[in-house]
Amino acid sequence: GNISILPSSLQHLEELILILDSKKIRAIPLEIKYLHNLEFLRIITYGPLILPKEINELKKLEILRVETKKIHLPDSLNDLENLVELNLS
């Protein structure tokens, strides 16, 4: 259960809130790396979540909030130089 693709029209977003209202969705698509202008990302899900290593491509990301029961964070999260807030709850 993955989200298979993000529409290219989203690539100019600065803020994104994903509410994954299903326990079947487990992974954010690799295409998240194309959201170059994203500064704020909030993900709410009821099941376990896998963040792809490609999240390190979000060079402008300042705030990452993830609300889930279980999460797998990639080591590449350390590459987000502008990240000032990481909230996992």
Side-chain angles (χ1 to χ4, degrees), residues 47-85:
L49 181 69
I50 299 170
L51 285 180
K53 66 180 180 186
E54 286 77 9
I55 199 162
N56 73 334
E57 298 287 328
L58 304 178
K59 299 299 183 189
K60 293 185 179 181
L61 191 66
E62 296 176 2
I63 299 171
L64 176 59
R65 295 180 183 158
V66 182
E67 299 171 34
T68 185
K69 303 243 182 239
K70 184 177 180 182
I71 186 168
H72 176 268
L73 297 173
D75 292 336
S76 63
L77 205 60
N78 294 327
D79 296 335
L80 296 174
E81 296 176 3
N82 289 316
L83 193 66
V84 293
E85 180 183 329

